[in-house]
Amino acid sequence: MSFRHGAWVAALMLAGCSAPEPPDAPAAPDTSEPTAPAQAAAPETAAAPALPRTAAPEGARAFIVEPADGATVSSPFKVVFGSENIQVMKAGEEAPDSGHHHLLVNAPLPDFSVPIPNSDQYRHFGGAQTEVELELEAGTYTLQLLFGDHFHIPHEPPIYSDVVTVTVE
């Protein structure tokens, strides 16, 4: 197993992905300018090279249908995911203009050059789900959607929703 191959495997394992192993990474890291706002530090995944990113479909967008920004909810509550101009597919299923949802709970946008982490803050919906019953303790939370490709890697440019803030009573 080459170093590059081993770095891919480590990155995917640490990200909690169950998708098939991606092809070898390019020799040079991705130097494209991010189109997203400044990113806060996300959990470390691995010291892996930048991975190839899938082109985002023209006009693709993600949004949270419910709850509304500023809503007060009781736990559990439903979060409905919305998207336009992109097909929602299962993780590991590669198709043009497709991806799947990840829900960020009280988390910054992650590093776009590696698979999205998998944790309570970075929740994967690799079964092509478009909603979830979310159970959270009382408090104030931020929710944000981020599309990932068949390997859980954000598209280029990344497709993510506005942040929605909810209060759980």
Side-chain angles (χ1 to χ4, degrees), residues 16 19 28-29 32 43 47 56 66 74 95 103 117 125 128 137-138 153 160 162-163:
S32 62
E66 66 177 74
S74 298
L103 179 64
F125 294 91
E137 298 290 324
I153 301 170
Y160 55 89
D162 290 335
V163 173

Side-chain angles (χ1 to χ4, degrees), residues 3 6-15 42-50 111 113-115 117:
F3 170 76
W8 274 89
V9 172
L12 289 175
M13 289 176 61
L14 288 170
E44 293 292 324
T45 53
D111 179 349
S113 67
V114 294

Side-chain angles (χ1 to χ4, degrees), residues 54-79:
T54 302
E58 185 72 33
R61 71 183 199 103
F63 51 93
I64 295 176
V65 176
E66 66 177 74
D69 187 32
T72 298
V73 297
S74 298
S75 191
F77 62 98
K78 185 187 286 190
V79 180

Side-chain angles (χ1 to χ4, degrees), residues 63-69 71-82 103 105 123 125 129-136 143 145 164-168:
F63 51 93
I64 295 176
V65 176
E66 66 177 74
D69 187 32
T72 298
V73 297
S74 298
S75 191
F77 62 98
K78 185 187 286 190
V79 180
V80 179
F81 313 152
L103 179 64
V105 180
R123 299 177 186 214
F125 294 91
Q129 303 94 317
T130 57
E131 63 182 50
V132 64
E133 285 287 321
L134 201 55
E135 189 164 340
L136 298 172
L143 306 175
L145 291 174
V164 168
T165 301
V166 297
T167 301
V168 178

Side-chain angles (χ1 to χ4, degrees), residues 10 15 17 38 45 48 63 86-87 96 104 130 132 139 144 158:
C17 300
T45 53
F63 51 93
I86 188 165
Q87 184 178 4
L104 286 57
T130 57
V132 64
Q144 186 173 29

